[in-house]
Amino acid sequence: MPLFFAMKHKKILKSVIALLGFIIVGWLSFMRPDLLLKYGMLMGVCGYALCLFIFTPLGNLTFGERQERLSGGKWFFKLILMQVVLFIFTLAMGVGSFAAGPGYTVGVVDWSDFQAMLEHYSPWEWGPFPWSSIGIWGLLIAYVTYTQRGEPYLYQIAKRFFPKKIEPMLKTYVESTTSGATMTVISLLVFAIILLFSYSVEFYVQRFHFTMPVMTVILLSFIGPLASLSFGRKIFRRLSGRANATLNRVVMLSIALMVPIIVLAAFTGVVMLARRPELQSAVICKQCGNYFANVPAESRLAALYWGWWLLWTPLAGSYFAKISKGRTAREMVLGLYAVPLLLVMGWFYFASHPLAISYQLPAVWNSILMLLLAIITLVAFLMTFKSIKDTHLFLSGALYPSPEANQNRLWLADASKAVGINRYSPKILMTIIGCIFLHTTAGWYGIQIQTAAMGVLVINALYIGFNFGLFRLCVPTRK
């Protein structure tokens, strides 16, 4: 009995410490995102450290058999395609977040602020970010999977280096971080697609669901039971196909459910204010902007950009490892850093040869461009995540473990447990609804809090993986 109570108290203590950690990270992401950015300063060092693979014999390290590699042209094409798709997703997220929102969030930052942010953070604090974070994750996963012959999980880089009794803690942290980051970034992307489709109508008719945010929240709340209550989850799983559900089907169902509701909220809000004009003063939050004024908007913009790309790291890094089987570390770093090198050269050229562009599109074109971007992003999403039927995507990204791998939640040598995507579908829907709630009431400020908080967890996992990667290079493996 004393041993039982000691174990119980230990679990309670760990839970309390974890809860306090999440509270602190959440508070910092809201009140002091600038401090979170300082915590990520070592990413610049880690990113530039990858260049050692180019100029030292370490670059000869090969991940897998050379005869298994893709041809140079095909490999580089896939590498460029990955970055083009991520650019499309980022453009959709940026337009969805900044094109509209509550009054106190619109027009706070513009392109010059974005340019100033990159010039301030990129050279040293971030380094070649986000390619550095993708490269670190990809190299580590490639080493684990192709050199160690392990399963494609970042936590396995610590196998045989870590005390057995602490393995469950490390595995749980990295697994939950990978799963949480991927769940969040996919939900944010679907949220952006939903907004773009909604904007294509709202910009055309000049009616917005931000006019009366409470009405949007109320109407979306009718979808909430499909994700939060037992009977609702059963209904949503049945609609998404039960055992045959795919991620794309869940996403299409979510879009079909929420776009009409958002558009309806836009019209309903306008009608209610026309009938009850005295509500105008009640629905406009005059003090909301003050909640975010303690930190400059430029720092919050940097935290949003920083967090967004960190959330993509597990997926993009695993894809980078998947297409790079049989390649050397030198080839991987050179191929990945080729694009940022070209971008830097282009940046300096256009900085010295500025373009003077001054025109204004007709109002109807705003609607058309929103619709085109929504369609392009949706097609890219459906092609990227086609045939995803289980939760391995959230645990190991683009690489799947071997069918013979042991699955449990304790030891680093074993794979994480996966289930059908239908088990996650209500969680995906709930996260999408939460993103829309945040954006409706707090605009891009609310999304910044979400991405920055999750980004801290990812960067912790990156630091852990980077350190153990150094140990692998410098310290003999313990048997």
Side-chain angles (χ1 to χ4, degrees):
M1 289 295 288
L3 179 61
F4 170 77
F5 283 111
M7 292 177 63
K8 184 177 181 180
H9 291 154
K10 187 180 292 186
K11 288 183 179 180
I12 293 174
L13 180 61
K14 289 179 180 178
S15 299
V16 171
I17 293 174
L19 178 62
L20 288 174
F22 285 125
I23 291 173
I24 292 171
V25 169
W27 182 85
L28 287 173
S29 65
F30 175 39
M31 301 297 293
R32 295 302 303 271
D34 52 322
L35 294 182
L36 296 184
L37 292 173
K38 292 184 185 301
Y39 177 69
M41 286 176 63
L42 290 177
M43 275 307 303
V45 177
C46 297
Y48 288 123
L50 291 185
C51 294
L52 293 175
F53 286 114
I54 301 175
F55 303 107
T56 68
L58 291 174
N60 297 324
L61 180 63
T62 305
F63 303 112
E65 302 297 330
R66 289 290 284 173
Q67 61 267 25
E68 296 178 302
R69 72 187 187 276
L70 295 171
S71 65
K74 191 173 183 179
W75 174 71
F76 195 67
F77 171 77
K78 286 181 175 289
L79 199 55
I80 296 297
L81 182 62
M82 174 190 76
Q83 297 177 69
V84 170
V85 169
L86 288 177
F87 172 76
I88 293 171
F89 291 164
T90 303
L91 180 62
M93 180 63 180
V95 175
S97 298
F98 290 94
Y104 64 93
T105 69
V106 178
V108 177
V109 296
D110 56 26
W111 169 249
S112 62
D113 296 306
F114 180 78
Q115 183 178 6
M117 173 198 73
L118 291 179
E119 291 176 348
H120 175 75
Y121 288 99
S122 290
W124 303 113
E125 289 192 33
W126 289 348
F129 180 81
W131 297 272
S132 57
S133 61
I134 294 171
I136 292 168
W137 198 284
L139 286 164
L140 293 171
I141 295 296
Y143 178 80
V144 165
T145 309
Y146 306 131
T147 303
Q148 279 196 311
R149 303 296 179 183
E151 303 303 331
Y153 300 97
L154 183 72
Y155 54 72
Q156 288 203 355
I157 194 70
K159 191 169 57 176
R160 299 194 186 95
F161 273 117
F162 223 60
K164 190 77 170 177
K165 62 181 180 181
I166 311 180
E167 281 192 9
M169 186 185 304
L170 175 65
K171 181 175 181 179
T172 299
Y173 177 81
V174 177
E175 180 187 86
S176 59
T177 294
T178 304
S179 179
T182 304
M183 173 78 74
T184 303
V185 79
I186 286 178
S187 300
L188 283 170
L189 182 54
V190 178
F191 142 85
I193 295 171
I194 290 170
L195 284 187
L196 289 172
F197 276 118
S198 303
Y199 289 165
S200 67
V201 177
E202 293 181 332
F203 273 89
Y204 183 75
V205 298
Q206 292 298 295
R207 303 285 189 273
F208 297 94
H209 65 280
F210 307 104
T211 304
M212 197 170 184
V214 65
M215 184 54 59
T216 306
V217 172
I218 290 172
L219 290 178
L220 281 174
S221 296
F222 288 104
I223 302 295
L226 292 179
S228 58
L229 301 179
S230 178
F231 79 91
R233 291 196 296 270
K234 291 179 181 178
I235 293 173
F236 189 73
R237 286 172 183 168
R238 179 170 295 184
L239 291 173
S240 59
R242 285 189 171 181
N244 296 321
T246 62
L247 177 61
N248 283 350
R249 185 164 180 170
V250 172
V251 166
M252 291 297 291
L253 179 58
S254 301
I255 294 172
L257 284 171
M258 278 186 270
V259 169
I261 288 180
I262 291 176
V263 173
L264 177 62
F267 283 95
T268 305
V270 171
V271 170
M272 287 195 67
L273 286 179
R275 293 183 177 182
R276 300 283 301 276
E278 68 274 13
L279 294 176
Q280 184 71 39
S281 60
V283 300
I284 298 177
C285 182
K286 295 184 175 62
Q287 301 300 323
C288 290
N290 296 335
Y291 286 107
F292 301 97
N294 61 298
V295 175
E298 292 79 7
S299 295
R300 295 196 181 278
L301 176 65
L304 174 61
Y305 177 88
W306 178 78
W308 166 256
W309 281 113
L310 284 173
L311 293 182
W312 277 109
T313 297
L315 268 179
S318 62
Y319 177 80
F320 181 45
K322 180 180 180 178
I323 65 175
S324 300
K325 185 177 183 180
R327 299 213 162 264
T328 65
R330 179 179 293 110
E331 289 172 330
M332 290 177 69
V333 175
L334 279 171
L336 185 66
Y337 279 8
V339 170
L341 180 62
L342 291 175
L343 289 176
V344 169
M345 293 170 62
W347 184 281
F348 283 117
Y349 175 81
F350 286 111
S352 58
H353 300 78
L355 297 175
I357 301 176
S358 178
Y359 61 87
Q360 186 173 4
L361 292 172
V364 68
W365 274 98
N366 288 325
S367 177
I368 294 173
L369 291 176
M370 295 288 179
L371 181 60
L372 285 176
L373 182 56
I375 293 172
I376 292 170
T377 308
L378 179 59
V379 170
F381 183 99
L382 296 177
M383 294 180 66
T384 301
F385 298 108
K386 60 183 178 182
S387 304
I388 300 295
K389 291 186 175 182
D390 57 41
T391 57
H392 276 304
L393 178 76
F394 302 101
L395 299 169
S396 58
L399 282 166
Y400 274 39
S402 61
E404 298 81 20
N406 292 327
Q407 294 186 359
N408 70 62
R409 296 193 178 278
L410 294 178
W411 313 122
L412 298 181
D414 298 322
S416 300
K417 291 184 177 179
V419 295
I421 197 68
N422 215 335
R423 295 283 298 274
Y424 266 37
S425 59
K427 296 180 181 179
I428 296 172
L429 177 63
M430 196 65 182
T431 308
I432 295 169
I433 293 173
C435 293
I436 296 175
F437 279 174
L438 266 178
H439 188 262
T440 300
T441 56
W444 68 271
Y445 287 135
I447 304 302
Q448 171 264 303
I449 297 170
Q450 190 176 19
T451 57
M454 197 69 230
V456 174
L457 303 183
V458 176
I459 210 167
N460 270 335
L462 275 169
Y463 286 159
I464 291 170
F466 185 82
N467 288 333
F468 277 107
L470 288 179
F471 292 160
R472 289 285 174 191
L473 292 173
C474 304
V475 181
T477 303
R478 188 184 70 191
K479 296 184 179 179

